[in-house]
Amino acid sequence: MLERLIRWNRSIWFWLFLIVLCIALEASALVYQYVFYYDPCVLCVHIRAWVLGIMLASILGLLLRKQRLGLILSNFLVFVCSLGFVERSYQTLGTEMGFVTGACSMNPNFPSFLALNKWLPSVFEPLTSCGYTPWIIPQILSMAQTLMALSVVMALGMLLMLIVSLRNPTDSI
């Protein structure tokens, strides 16, 4: 089993899957914004930023997957970004369902060296307040619920891949 995970983690298909998944998530967000007219809140914009981070770390993983240190670094970066994705998804779900309370400003508070809302406002500028996400499956599954499930699965999967990549290559499998 571990041997398969190691091979999958070093595979071009694993990293391409993550890149395509991130592109699909970003494209879906933009479809909901520009086709279905659901403006993003600050939490949604933060989720987009974390997904962008996962995509960039996955591109790094695609390039460095054959080098042990590069693989460890890429897995670590995707895992950290996945944790950010989990936290923002939890806040979004909690705000929507009422078990997290707090103010949701219109300022995304990106650091000055990473002013995504200034560089690409059509993607990273919050346009509405938090509290509601559209339905993915009407009356069954909201976007917040979907993002929560996906982020947890991604974070757990990347934790597993990080652990696998940390194994000494001379260890028996």
Side-chain angles (χ1 to χ4, degrees), residues 1 11-12 17-18 41 44 47 58 69 92 95 105 123 125 127 132 137-138 141 149 153 166 170:
M1 177 68 173
S11 153
I12 191 172
F17 171 77
L18 286 177
C41 68
C44 299
I47 289 171
S58 297
L69 233 44
T92 303
T95 301
S105 75
V123 177
E125 187 68 35
L127 300 172
Y132 168 77
I137 301 173
L141 190 65
V153 168
L166 289 171
T170 59

Side-chain angles (χ1 to χ4, degrees), residues 43 46-47 50 83-93:
L43 294 172
H46 288 166
I47 289 171
W50 284 116
L83 290 178
F85 184 18
V86 168
E87 190 275 332
R88 293 285 86 182
S89 296
Y90 176 80
Q91 292 296 325
T92 303
L93 181 63

Side-chain angles (χ1 to χ4, degrees), residues 91 94-95 98-103:
Q91 292 296 325
T95 301
F99 60 84
V100 170
T101 56

Side-chain angles (χ1 to χ4, degrees), residues 114-128:
L114 191 64
L116 295 174
N117 58 317
K118 302 284 189 254
W119 300 342
L120 199 55
S122 60
V123 177
F124 295 105
E125 187 68 35
L127 300 172
T128 192

Side-chain angles (χ1 to χ4, degrees), residues 20-75:
V20 169
L21 176 63
C22 290
I23 291 169
L25 287 171
E26 297 287 12
S28 297
L30 293 175
V31 165
Y32 271 90
Q33 180 176 349
Y34 290 106
V35 176
F36 301 134
Y37 303 108
Y38 289 104
D39 288 333
C41 68
V42 72
L43 294 172
C44 299
V45 167
H46 288 166
I47 289 171
R48 291 178 186 187
W50 284 116
V51 170
L52 177 64
I54 292 168
M55 184 169 58
L56 294 174
S58 297
I59 291 169
L60 186 68
L62 180 65
L63 299 173
L64 301 178
R65 70 185 188 283
K66 297 294 185 182
Q67 301 163 354
R68 185 167 188 265
L69 233 44
L71 186 65
I72 291 169
L73 175 66
S74 301
N75 283 322

